[in-house]
Amino acid sequence: MLPEAVARRIAAGEVIDRPNAVVRELLDNSLDAGAREIDLRITGGGNERIEVTDDGHGMSRADIERCYLSHATSKIQTDSDLDHVRTLGFRGEALSSIAAVSRLEVRSRSDEEEGTRLVVDAGKLKALEPIGAKPGTTVTVDDLFYDLPARRRFLKRPQSESAAIRTVFLEKALPFPDVHFRLSTGTDLKINLPPSDLLQRIALAYPAYVNPARMRSLDVSGEGFSAQIYAADPQQARGDRRGLQVYVNRRRVWEYALVQAIEYAFDSYARGGLHPVVYLFLQIDPELVDFNIHPAKREVRIRILSQIHRAIVRGLADFLRAFDLHRPINPRLGREFARDDVVRHGEPQFEPPRGLSRYARQQPSYDLARRFSPPGATDDRRQEAEEQPLDAASHEGMRLIGQLFDLFLAVEADDRLYLVDQHAAHERLIFDRLRAGSPRQTLLLPIAIELDEEQAERAGELLEALRTAGFDLVRVNAQLWELRAVPATISLTEERLHELLLDALSVPENVERELYATIACRAAVKDGDRLDPQTALSIASDALALQNARCPHGRPLWVEISREHLLEMVQRSPTHPGA
Ligand code: ADP
Ligand code: MG
């Protein structure tokens, strides 16, 4: 058995590893005490001194006597209280951990007349005495790890520790905009955040990232949660993720699924590789979250994660529609695709892609061969085509004129000429379907694929993502794998399927998005491919119906030229074209 004091100091290392951890815990305590004003002062990057003064409800003498002992918390009493925690702290481990590894002084006064001063050195009580004090609390932490040389050596230069403290300070201040926060180093006031509304707080805290004029706030909610989202328009996207923050019940968290929801929604809006500037503040019923899984409460378990994920993606998709490149020319189709866009990949239940079922529904009413006049068709047929009354499908008002330069699909609709990049359009459509989860088509004969060690490892990592997309890849032995099913949306020769898979397994990162983009690119029709009219028209009309018609790399899928513009170009007047 370890002596109690040693055990205490080992445990302390889990909670308190660096000065910024002390800051995090002290600020939490001040906020839990209902402070309206919090002053943080540090010297030597916090390695020498960290001091927090608040005007919160303070501690009684009895509270102070206990506060540096393990499991001393006034915030919960019973096991079931753990399910309803509304405070930032609840374990009663922070002050005791700090006390074990520093010189700690606490001066505090509650509504009693007198204040109390407590001094603890490396866990040993040095002083406990009455003092005169203002209501509220000041906690001073000197010489962190002073008697733990091994740990003290791990402290970084003051500048680095200061930077880390500043990060924590801002993350604490952000979700409490009505509390006045100040950060001073030595005697210099470095950051002053007076009470304000949330947007102003964000802008003051992160001036390099946030231009409040480019931010919108949106609220989404559902059963057991509500969220306030401050999102910048997609042009503000950044090369790093520092402008993307998620808070759950006023704690910053690093929950990948929530970050991913935001990036997913912005995906085709922000230029490739950039990250949106979004601050998400979630309030979740305490019974539905568990923060008690990480020493610093950075991780959280959320029981209704998928509902929240969906609500965020939907809310952002609505917001982002304002930044669509083009208005989709057929709003009905546009809506359907919009719904496709927000389906989260990786969720267990999949609907078949709407694009496909729509073909199936509408194909019987298309009579494209007749409406399309391929070059070289007889005049008879052309005439027949022109005389054909518009059939049921043509209320969409789209007519395929042909293929231009073996690359653009030319379509007439609504008094406009659309030129659709066939490769980019097809690529995006396949990409969407892969992400939404494709139905599979089983291959009659599996395709044997030999993988080298690296590819095999990647295959293992990407197996789920491939399955979502509709690929069934099965390992026969270390090098030999079998492709047994492919997404129904893809029709390729065995040779090209083989190539596609090898390419997909060579994507540099284990990122589903890259995987799907690679597959979509390889599976899409290429520049120069001659398309049959039916395929051409379905690619063009689907691409024209997309919200935000960009390819996975962010390029536009099509351009348009209006009738008026053409008339202008030949200097005709639009009202009297024959004049
Ligand atoms: P926890 O926050 O998990 O309860 P801590 O070790 O952080 O545990 O603090 C122990 C106790 O000390 C708290 O429960 C609270 O009663 C008291 N306390 C600490 N800091 C303050 C403060 N700034 N104002 C009022 N009470 C405080
Ligand atoms: Mg605490």
Side-chain angles (χ1 to χ4, degrees), residues 25-35 52-60 63-64 66-76 87-98 106-109 136-139 297:
E25 295 298 336
L26 298 186
L27 295 178
D28 274 359
N29 283 345
S30 297
L31 290 164
D32 282 346
V52 172
T53 299
D54 68 54
D55 63 350
H57 59 54
M59 288 183 255
S60 67
D63 280 346
I64 295 191
R66 271 181 289 128
C67 74
Y68 71 101
L69 302 173
S70 197
H71 309 301
T73 180
S74 56
K75 295 167 195 171
I76 63 171
T87 49
L88 296 168
F90 52 82
R91 295 194 194 113
E93 286 301 312
L95 278 188
S96 66
S97 299
I98 295 167
V106 180
R107 281 170 288 157
S108 187
R109 199 186 115 196
T137 304
T138 296
V139 178
K297 309 184 185 88

Side-chain angles (χ1 to χ4, degrees), residues 120-135:
V120 181
D121 261 16
K124 288 184 211 66
L125 181 64
K126 293 284 155 141
L128 181 67
E129 63 203 13
I131 47 156
K134 284 190 298 182

